[in-house]
Amino acid sequence: MVTMRYFAAIFLALSMKALLISCSAHTKVVLDNEGKPFLSGYFYYIVPATGGSIGQANSRDTHFNCATSIVQHSESNRGIPVGFTLKSRVLNGAAAVNESTSLFINFQIPNLRCGNAISSGWKVHHAKLEGHYFLSLGGHDLSKEHLFQIVKSTGHYSYKILYCPNGKGCKNVGVVPDADGVHRLGLNDTSLDVLFVRA
């Protein structure tokens, strides 16, 4: 009887260890460009691996009354700092972000070009423009329609951003040139590889 209990205990311990290893293998923390854990509650620059920066469109870049588009600028500056809020921690502090975790994205500065009438949160503009769905400002942290995820890409410390409404049905966020030649962020088959640089 003692022997059976001993082997049962050993089997249970090994099973738990295997489960923990399996979970850790599938739960990887996102890393910034220095290999440090990427934290919600802090601000980062999203730096395209191909160069340039991510920021808000200039007024001449958009067909709207004010600049709501999110674009890749060709300038070498780092763009506008961006904050990331975990869906499960909207009202809480900083936490390490794991890959494929649902989160909200916001520019650090208010949307001054629209007179604060539109929030600085990211969302996908669901009116199809020029055959594409573009990213724009106006997202809110309490709407599941405005959720994104970060997953590893092939480059060193590089990642891609996915649009994942309700945490599923994810689509790549890439660069889509519009009719004016502006490199706008939108849903695309080809993702934009980016690095996260602590602001």
Side-chain angles (χ1 to χ4, degrees):
M1 180 66 70
V2 174
T3 302
M4 290 296 294
R5 288 179 179 176
Y6 173 78
F7 282 113
I10 293 295
F11 177 78
L12 179 60
L14 291 175
S15 297
M16 291 298 295
K17 183 177 181 181
L19 178 60
L20 289 173
I21 293 173
S22 176
C23 290
S24 62
H26 291 84
T27 306
K28 294 184 178 180
V29 174
V30 177
L31 303 176
D32 66 15
N33 68 312
E34 296 181 345
K36 298 177 181 178
F38 176 87
L39 302 173
S40 68
Y42 288 83
F43 291 98
Y44 293 83
Y45 296 102
I46 300 177
V47 180
T50 55
S53 60
I54 300 299
Q56 186 177 354
N58 300 317
S59 58
R60 66 179 183 274
D61 290 341
T62 179
H63 301 297
F64 299 99
N65 293 328
C66 61
T68 63
S69 302
I70 301 168
V71 302
Q72 179 185 14
H73 292 294
S74 59
E75 293 86 353
S76 59
N77 64 68
R78 290 180 173 176
I80 302 175
V82 174
F84 299 81
T85 306
L86 297 177
K87 173 189 171 185
S88 59
R89 297 177 65 94
V90 171
L91 301 178
N92 296 308
V97 176
N98 292 327
E99 293 180 33
S100 302
T101 298
S102 294
L103 44 77
F104 301 99
I105 305 177
N106 296 269
F107 279 134
Q108 180 182 21
I109 62 174
N111 185 15
L112 299 177
R113 291 176 183 166
C114 292
N116 290 328
I118 298 177
S119 76
S120 59
W122 289 25
K123 71 173 187 177
V124 170
H125 195 281
H126 285 291
K128 203 169 188 179
L129 302 172
E130 301 175 7
H132 297 282
Y133 294 104
F134 292 109
L135 269 65
S136 69
L137 301 181
H140 298 281
D141 283 357
L142 297 179
S143 174
K144 294 180 180 180
E145 286 294 314
H146 304 156
L147 287 169
F148 295 84
Q149 294 183 13
I150 299 170
V151 297
K152 189 70 180 71
S153 187
T154 55
H156 192 54
Y157 295 144
S158 68
Y159 293 85
K160 57 183 180 178
I161 298 174
L162 306 179
Y163 171 61
C164 303
N166 298 302
K168 55 187 179 182
C170 299
K171 295 180 175 60
N172 287 323
V173 172
V175 173
V176 182
D178 66 13
D180 297 323
V182 177
H183 287 195
R184 298 174 63 177
L185 266 60
L187 304 186
N188 199 350
D189 291 336
T190 303
S191 63
L192 174 66
D193 287 359
V194 299
L195 304 172
F196 298 106
V197 179
R198 182 82 171 266

